[in-house]
Amino acid sequence: MTAAGVAGEIMDLAVEHCRRGESAQALSMLAAIRTQLDPPPALLRLIEGLEATGCKSPAVASGQALRVQIGGGWDSNVSQGITARSLVLGSGDNLLELELDPSYQPRSSAFAHASVDYSATLPAYGLNLQGALAHRKNERASAFDVTTVSAAASREFALARGSLRGQVELSEVWLGGVHYQRSQSVAAQWLDTGRSGALLATLSATAGQYFTQPSQNSWQLEAGLFGEWRINGSQSLHAGASLCWMSGAITG
C-alpha cells in the first residue's frame, strides 16, 4: 500500500471521529496525515478545511447523507454478448467449429436507471450505517433488468495501541426479476499511527452465492499488513504483504 493509501485509510477514521463529535482524536489524526504522510493535494485541502472549522464541517457534523440519482440512455450491449458467430476448438485435423446460439449475440436497448443511497452515524452506539437501492430497467431486454440492494455497518474501537475498525456488508442482486446473487463480507482493520510512521493490518472474508448457478458459489479470505516508516522530513519507507485464500486456493 502506498503512502496515499495509508493516508486515505487514516482519513476515513478521522472523518468518522468528526461525525461522532470526537474532535480531539480526529484533529490529531488529521495533523499526523498532514505532517507525516505527505498527502496528495486534494486530500490536503480536505484536511485543511476540517482543521480550519475545528472538525465541524456541516457535511461531517450532520452525520447523515441522502443521494438520489435518476438517469437513462442507450446500451448497445445490454446482454454483454459476443459478436463472434462461432467458436473454434482445436487445430489441424482436430479442428472443430461450433456455431453459437443467437442468444449469445449482443442485444441493444434503451434503459432507465434510478438509485437511492443513504448513510447515517449513530454516535450513541458508535455505528456508521450505509444503505443503497438501485434498479435498471431495459426497455427491450427485460431479462437483463437489474435490481440491487446493499447495506453496511461499521464501528471503531479504541485500543491500548491504535484503533480497530470492524465492518459487515450484505448485498442482494435480482436479474430479470429473479433472485440472482447474494454477497456477504466481514472485515477488520487495525491501525496504529505515530511520529515514526503507521502500521495497518487488515483481515477480510467474503462469500458469494449464486442462486441460479450454484456451481459458481465461492468464498475468499484475505489478510494483509502494510507499513510506512519515516526516515526524515522528505523520505519514507513503505512495505506490505498480503495473503489470499480463494475457495481452497492460496495466492500471495
Side-chain angles (χ1 to χ4, degrees):
M1 179 175 288
T2 64
V6 175
E9 294 286 352
I10 302 175
M11 187 67 188
D12 290 341
L13 296 177
V15 170
E16 288 187 15
H17 280 299
C18 284
R19 286 176 173 169
R20 294 200 295 265
E22 301 167 350
S23 299
Q25 296 93 323
L27 293 175
S28 176
M29 286 186 172
L30 295 174
I33 299 172
R34 177 171 45 78
T35 60
Q36 301 176 37
L37 296 181
D38 190 25
L43 188 56
L44 182 59
R45 287 194 296 270
L46 178 58
I47 292 172
E48 292 174 342
L50 291 175
E51 289 180 327
T53 60
C55 194
K56 297 184 183 300
S57 169
V60 174
S62 66
Q64 299 185 42
L66 177 66
R67 181 178 65 177
V68 178
Q69 292 183 311
I70 299 176
W74 176 268
D75 192 333
S76 62
N77 192 357
V78 174
S79 60
Q80 297 184 10
I82 57 177
T83 57
R85 300 289 181 178
S86 62
L87 178 65
V88 178
L89 304 176
S91 61
D93 295 336
N94 296 321
L95 186 145
L96 177 63
E97 184 174 2
L98 302 176
E99 184 176 354
L100 296 178
D101 187 86
S103 62
Y104 287 95
Q105 297 298 309
R107 297 182 60 182
S108 59
S109 174
F111 70 89
H113 176 268
S115 66
V116 178
D117 300 273
Y118 177 75
S119 62
T121 299
L122 304 179
Y125 303 96
L127 288 174
N128 295 282
L129 306 177
Q130 294 180 312
L133 170 65
H135 179 69
R136 168 169 164 155
K137 174 65 178 177
N138 300 296
E139 182 181 351
R140 297 172 53 187
S142 59
F144 299 97
D145 291 351
V146 178
T147 301
T148 61
V149 178
S150 63
S154 64
R155 183 177 181 182
E156 184 185 346
F157 304 86
L159 303 178
R161 179 177 178 182
S163 60
L164 178 67
R165 181 185 183 187
Q167 180 169 311
V168 295
E169 294 184 57
L170 172 66
S171 67
E172 305 279 354
V173 179
W174 286 262
L175 180 63
V178 177
H179 202 178
Y180 176 70
Q181 181 189 21
R182 172 177 294 158
S183 177
Q184 303 161 300
S185 68
V186 295
Q189 295 179 324
W190 173 78
L191 176 66
D192 182 45
T193 61
R195 297 186 61 85
S196 60
L199 283 176
L200 175 67
T202 63
L203 179 65
S204 64
T206 304
Q209 182 180 3
Y210 294 82
F211 296 99
T212 59
Q213 303 177 50
S215 62
Q216 295 189 32
N217 291 351
S218 63
W219 59 265
Q220 177 177 311
L221 178 65
E222 184 172 4
L225 180 63
F226 309 92
E228 187 261 358
W229 295 269
R230 300 289 293 181
I231 298 175
N232 53 47
S234 61
Q235 295 179 317
S236 60
L237 176 65
H238 307 273
S242 63
L243 191 62
C244 182
W245 295 262
M246 300 179 62
S247 297
I250 301 178
T251 59

